Amino acid sequence: MSLRHLDGETRPADLYQRDPLSLRLPRPARGDILEACLITTSGGIVGGDRLEIAVTAGQGAQARVYPQAAEKVYRSTGADSRIDVTLTSDEGCWLEWLPQETILFDGARLRRRTTLDLAAGSRVLAGEFLVFGRRASGEQLARGLIHDAWRVRRGGTLVWADALHMDGDLAAPLTSPACLGGATAFASMIYAADDAASHLAALRDLLPPESDAVQHALTAVNGLIVGRFIGEAMAVRGSFGRFWGAARAALADLPPLLPRLWYL
């Protein structure tokens, strides 16, 4: 999907979609920007599936793109499931990639890559959100593959590369105090803009209070702000969502609201 800003409005310029991905354009809240909602019509991802999502925000475009609901990655008999997300931003644009949870069933094999390609003068707020297993159903994530990678380029130059990688026995790193320490969820956020690092202190002040159920931190790296949220799944969701709403208001003077579908 490509977006353009014309006559004071952001509109889709080109759209290609095929099963199992479909796009909807919900009506945004008053004073808010274009919303684009992705639906996975298959109800989840199995081994061997591959989803490719590409969003290009043209000069001056403003949009928030998000999935309709949590994504489920089911147990695989051996093949990897792949999700590739590419966000391209042009000068003067504001683009949000707001995740809901990606829930990993025991035995799931997920390879996900999120790529940001930034032009000077653009601003992008992007995230990803993993949930390890289905604790409410009595299932823990014991085996599988998790490879969740980020690549951020500014003007064609790589400025950030990062990956969470675990393969085979997942119970050990998920429970070890030296790794994830029993956390059931892990979310990442990146804010990329020419002046992103100058907002670090102000954004830290917007972080919700920590608790035994959730911890979080923000730092500046190569002109980006990188955030991590870790802990119990619902607590991470609440903290991540509250921060996201406050951050978009502070950074882009937008309503501090999440999409209605976030609450369904």
Side-chain angles (χ1 to χ4, degrees), residues 27-52:
R27 178 175 297 177
R30 185 182 298 273
D32 217 326
I33 56 178
L34 177 78
E35 293 196 353
C37 175
L38 285 166
I39 301 171
T40 305
T41 57
S42 61
I45 302 171
V46 299
D49 282 355
R50 180 166 185 169
L51 303 184
E52 296 183 5

Side-chain angles (χ1 to χ4, degrees), residues 39-177:
I39 301 171
T40 305
T41 57
S42 61
I45 302 171
V46 299
D49 282 355
R50 180 166 185 169
L51 303 184
E52 296 183 5
I53 301 162
V55 180
T56 298
Q59 187 172 7
Q62 293 185 305
R64 175 164 60 184
V65 186
Y66 56 90
Q68 177 196 31
E71 192 73 84
K72 302 177 183 67
V73 183
Y74 296 111
R75 179 179 64 86
S76 171
T77 57
D80 295 346
S81 306
R82 300 187 65 94
I83 303 175
D84 290 302
V85 178
T86 302
L87 308 176
T88 304
S89 60
D90 206 344
E91 181 182 1
C93 85
W94 168 268
L95 179 61
E96 296 176 60
W97 173 253
L98 172 61
Q100 297 207 51
E101 301 93 326
T102 298
I103 302 172
L104 299 164
F105 285 49
D106 189 31
R109 297 186 60 83
L110 173 66
R111 291 185 181 272
R112 179 166 62 191
R113 179 178 58 190
T114 306
T115 301
L116 277 59
D117 193 352
L118 312 166
S122 67
R123 296 180 295 165
V124 177
L125 184 62
E128 288 297 357
F129 187 175
L130 291 168
V131 173
F132 308 121
R134 300 180 298 155
R135 299 296 177 92
S137 300
E139 178 186 279
Q140 296 189 8
L141 186 58
R143 297 195 62 80
L145 167 71
I146 304 171
H147 184 86
D148 199 18
W150 287 87
R151 294 290 185 273
V152 182
R153 295 182 177 88
R154 179 183 286 120
T157 300
L158 183 67
V159 296
W160 172 253
D162 179 56
L164 171 67
H165 182 88
M166 297 182 285
D167 193 3
D169 176 11
L170 300 185
L174 287 174
T175 57
S176 170

